[in-house]
Amino acid sequence: MSIIKVASKKAKKGFTYKVTFKYKEHGVTTTYSRSGFITKKAAQDHETLVKAQIKRDGYLYKECTKTLDEVYKEFLEVGKTSYQDNTIYNTIKDFKLIPIELKKKPIVKIDYIMLQRYFNSIGTKGLSRNKNIKIALNRIFVYAIKAKYISYNPISLVDVKGIENKRVHDDILSEDNFNTLISCLKDKNTFICDNYRIALSIGYYTGLRMSEVLALDKNDLDLDNDTIDINKKLVYSGLKKKDYYTSNKLKSDKSKTIIPIAPPLKEILVSWIDETPYNKLLCDIEGCYINPCSMDTRINEIAKKNGFTFNFHMLRHTFVTYLVHNNIDIKVVQELARHKDINTTMSVYTHLQENKKKGAILSVFGQNYSKNTPKVN
């Protein structure tokens, strides 16, 4: 029998009920046992719930007493290996924004209602900030499920609201603005500005991410076959400059590949290889890795003086947009951009198509609509 009477001096009736049964978890026979039920019906109801949970999940959910903060710290110790270094850095940064009251809650007690109330309370904050907090929490809850601390993810249904910040820059860097930046950096005539100029050119003609550009060395270039081997990235988030290092763990499997070099870029690189004395393709005057934030800030200062704004990721978006705009097959664009998901590539295509539709409507129904209206007899 799975439910038995157990003598108890503390119970009014002199006994309580105990649930005990055998089950298999990952092929191993295990015994479940829990006592202290006042009535037989309570024991039967508990047995039904436990068996249903085992049947649904394939294992027995073990109640966890750890707080959200304790599980978060365990995640950083055990579960972070499947994530990029920058992702873990962002998780740490975003988790700090979560109130201590929520961090101290046992993770099994945190439910949808509690989380939705929290996100409702920060609805006056920036939307991007709030989304990042949800993403950070999601990583922790996913780890908790893997560790069998919880059986479902309570944040999966939470809605996030916030103030959407207006973009202070265009997604696309025009050819004129690109040439302006190159010219201004060349006029500075310093080693670091020359490195910025080369980095800018590589980003513009390849769409590489900034961390990938700054990790390149001369051995990654094959100028005889006009290719660049993308095999590492610079890790810098949260680190001092002297502690920067390169990692072979890129954003996705698609990121690591060999890409072609455009003729204008080849001409630039051939000349640059003769100029720089270091094996690192890009570095400061002492041969150390370039500080990405300093480079982005310095180039943006030049851009602002010339009436526009800049950040390095614009180069990647510009690269993809130019390819799509020139009717390159969308699968080829995906391969060149090294997008893991073609939907990322398609989002640029869709954006351009929407702009074309707007242009078509304006050209017909714009200011000259009355002039274009066909006369009806």
Side-chain angles (χ1 to χ4, degrees), residues 107-246:
I107 196 163
V108 296
K109 300 293 185 182
I110 299 175
D111 57 15
Y112 160 77
I113 294 175
M114 186 183 297
L115 290 170
Q116 189 63 67
R117 281 177 176 162
Y118 163 61
F119 278 98
N120 288 346
S121 73
I122 60 173
T124 56
K125 304 291 186 180
L127 179 61
S128 178
R129 167 192 182 273
N130 294 348
K131 284 182 176 180
N132 288 337
I133 293 174
K134 180 181 178 180
I135 291 169
L137 282 170
N138 183 66
R139 293 183 188 120
I140 298 163
F141 285 122
V142 167
Y143 170 76
I145 290 173
K146 290 179 180 178
K148 300 181 182 179
Y149 295 154
I150 56 177
S151 58
Y152 80 105
N153 188 342
I155 205 166
S156 60
L157 297 177
V158 169
D159 293 321
V160 178
K161 295 182 180 179
I163 299 172
E164 193 162 5
N165 297 322
K166 293 181 179 179
R167 303 186 72 90
V168 296
H169 59 80
D170 294 326
D171 286 332
I172 309 298
L173 186 69
S174 70
E175 185 177 4
D176 287 343
N177 288 345
F178 169 71
N179 289 330
T180 296
L181 292 177
I182 294 296
S183 178
C184 290
L185 288 168
K186 201 167 187 177
D187 289 343
K188 298 283 184 184
N189 197 29
T190 64
F191 184 74
I192 192 65
C193 283
D194 284 341
N195 275 268
Y196 292 170
R197 175 172 56 85
I198 302 304
L200 199 64
S201 298
I202 294 172
Y204 186 79
Y205 288 111
T206 65
L208 293 184
R209 301 173 180 91
M210 180 162 58
S211 60
E212 296 165 341
V213 172
L214 297 182
L216 292 170
D217 56 50
K218 292 179 178 178
N219 297 330
D220 296 322
L221 305 180
D222 184 350
L223 297 179
D224 291 329
N225 294 302
D226 300 339
T227 59
I228 303 177
D229 186 1
I230 313 304
N231 55 67
K232 55 187 175 296
K233 68 174 184 181
L234 183 67
V235 179
Y236 59 88
S237 293
L239 301 177
K240 294 181 179 178
K241 192 178 179 207
K242 64 182 180 64
D243 297 323
Y244 292 174
Y245 65 95
T246 58

Side-chain angles (χ1 to χ4, degrees), residues 320 324 330 333-334 337 339 341-349:
V320 174
V324 174
I330 200 70
V333 177
Q334 181 192 7
H339 287 150
D341 188 350
I342 196 169
N343 288 326
T344 306
T345 316
M346 285 299 297
S347 65
V348 178
Y349 173 80

